[in-house]
Amino acid sequence: MEKPSPLFIFQIILIFLLTQSLPATSSNSPKPVTFSVTEFGATGDGVHYDTVSIQSAIDSCPYSIPCRVTFPAPGKYLTATVFLRSGVVLNVETGATIFGGPKLEDYPKESSRWYVVLAENATDVGIEGGGVVDGQAEKFVVRYNERKNVMVSWNETGSCLGDECRPRLIGFLGCKNVRIFNITLNQPAYWCLHLVRSENISIHDIAIYGDLNIPNNDGIDIEDSNNTVITRCHIDTGDDAICPKSSTGPLYNLTVTDCWIRSKSSAIKFGSASWFEFKHFVFDNITIFDSHRGLAFQIRDGGNVSDIVFSNINISTRYYDPLWWGRAEPIYVTTCPRDKTSKEASISNVRFINITANSENGIFLSGSKRGLLRNLSFINMNITYRRFTSYAGGLFDYRPGCQELVKHKTAGIMMEHIEGLEVRNVEMRWENNELEQWNNPMEFKTNTVNNIHFSNFNSVLYSNSISSS
């Protein structure tokens, strides 16, 4: 039995400390004040905007006492952007739904503030209650496409460029002591839950549902934010489900446990925004189902990654359309520079422990000449390779940037630019009627891969009758 690493023990202590840092609920704490948005004139009919009533309820909260702003059930509360402030928690009751407005004028002038619910530089804030926040993504579809929907873009405002100018659902920017509990986040038009330069974040018992055919509807984006715990979450979305990013500063101390994830892109992805360091992460007891990619590192901008543990994870990956990044890799670790101006970063001290995978493609490990993968460990793994969709295989996917898509037969583990790799108690199983689709259990160039250690590694064929369903 694998002994807990010092990093794992550290993360358990971290969870305890974070729990203690959240707003107190003991008898010594002030009793929260509660306001209902209906007391301020909200109709909850889903037709008339309730923005003014919601914001009035929030602004009426006293500054010195915790305050709950309640959305009674049943009710459909249509709103433009509403702004949280310190000490305020939204309580969306079971059976109540907040609907984000679909019009450009529903959102602030600056695209960086396009959220249905937004907290900026606030402390002790959150959202809870068992209800729903819905971004009405279907109202942002310009043209339905069976491969990838074409979405509205508000770039004509000049406040943003490209085809991703759509509102996010919920944002906490520069906040401390954030608690998101027992809430469903539905149909974001763009990113769903966005945490930016924030500290001490607790996310638990939430569900996120995004249309599989809508691009950029990430589940949880943790950007430049430290000391975050995510547990007991269900995420089912088209784009990356849990996505740490470092755009303006480093990202430390992220723990994710007891989650179920499906994604048409990556279930868990580091980057691709990666200008600063990622360090001290634990992912444990996670099920990844029917995703285009499982555990992914897309380090493209020079930020180093170190001290990461993935443990007790069950992965199934499959091919989707190549318009979406990912080629069914259960594990994907890459550090190539985004372009000629980008720095090369390293990924080091990453452990994959007790991993089961059922996949249509192999593990992809690709460092770069000056951005090596160092000291990776694969311990107690059982990987089954079989084809069960009709999509074309035979591609290495380096996107974004780098070499883009490269034609190549599939290997069980593809490796390049690695210094230090441990493979212990690992079994690969191959469906024999698809053997012509595969190459070797392992593939690497000896001049770019050094210090590989194998212990109890096995690669076997099995009959397709076993896997038929």
Side-chain angles (χ1 to χ4, degrees), residues 124-364:
D124 298 333
V125 290
I127 185 166
E128 61 184 24
V132 177
V133 182
D134 193 304
Q136 302 198 86
E138 68 280 358
K139 294 187 177 180
F140 293 83
V141 178
V142 173
R143 184 173 70 253
Y144 289 96
N145 186 295
E146 64 180 12
R147 300 178 69 188
K148 183 189 288 188
N149 289 338
V150 178
M151 305 300 293
V152 72
S153 181
W154 291 338
N155 54 17
E156 70 272 9
T157 64
S159 60
C160 58
L161 301 175
D163 62 353
E164 300 179 9
C165 297
R166 311 187 291 278
R168 299 169 175 89
L169 194 61
I170 297 176
F172 292 91
L173 283 57
C175 295
K176 293 182 179 179
N177 299 342
V178 177
R179 185 174 186 262
I180 303 148
F181 165 67
N182 188 27
I183 197 79
T184 295
L185 307 180
N186 206 33
Q187 297 301 316
Y190 190 57
W191 294 356
C192 185
L193 177 57
H194 192 198
L195 307 157
V196 186
R197 297 181 301 277
S198 294
E199 301 281 342
N200 297 345
I201 303 157
S202 174
I203 303 170
H204 55 113
D205 296 291
I206 75 167
I208 295 175
Y209 298 99
D211 191 320
L212 284 180
N213 218 25
I214 288 180
N216 314 116
N217 62 350
D218 294 11
I220 304 175
D221 288 280
I222 308 111
E223 188 168 4
D224 313 333
S225 296
N226 300 322
N227 303 325
T228 301
V229 175
I230 301 173
T231 189
R232 298 189 303 275
C233 293
H234 181 110
I235 305 175
D236 193 343
T237 192
D239 226 302
D240 304 318
I242 297 177
C243 191
K245 300 175 181 291
S246 62
S247 299
T248 63
L251 201 163
Y252 300 146
N253 303 337
L254 169 65
T255 299
V256 181
T257 63
D258 304 321
C259 292
W260 186 101
I261 298 171
R262 180 172 69 160
S263 169
K264 202 173 181 180
S265 195
S266 296
I268 296 170
K269 189 186 82 174
F270 289 62
S272 63
S274 51
W275 281 270
F276 296 87
E277 185 178 43
F278 300 85
K279 194 170 185 178
H280 295 153
F281 292 9
V282 165
F283 300 86
D284 181 70
N285 194 28
I286 295 170
T287 296
I288 296 171
F289 173 76
D290 214 17
S291 293
H292 209 179
R293 182 175 277 159
L295 310 174
F297 293 76
Q298 288 182 343
I299 305 305
R300 299 291 183 267
D301 307 299
N304 294 325
V305 182
S306 63
D307 301 328
I308 313 295
V309 176
F310 298 94
S311 58
N312 305 309
I313 299 179
N314 193 334
I315 303 170
S316 69
T317 56
R318 51 156 293 178
Y319 283 108
Y320 287 97
D321 193 283
L323 279 175
W324 297 82
W325 293 349
R327 303 303 302 147
E329 308 95 339
I331 296 172
Y332 176 89
V333 184
T334 62
T335 64
C336 55
R338 188 183 300 275
D339 54 42
K340 293 181 180 179
T341 66
S342 301
K343 296 180 180 179
E344 295 183 69
S346 68
I347 296 176
S348 61
N349 301 326
V350 181
R351 306 181 78 198
F352 300 89
I353 305 169
N354 298 336
I355 310 292
T356 300
N358 192 321
S359 175
E360 293 193 278
N361 206 342
I363 294 171
F364 190 82

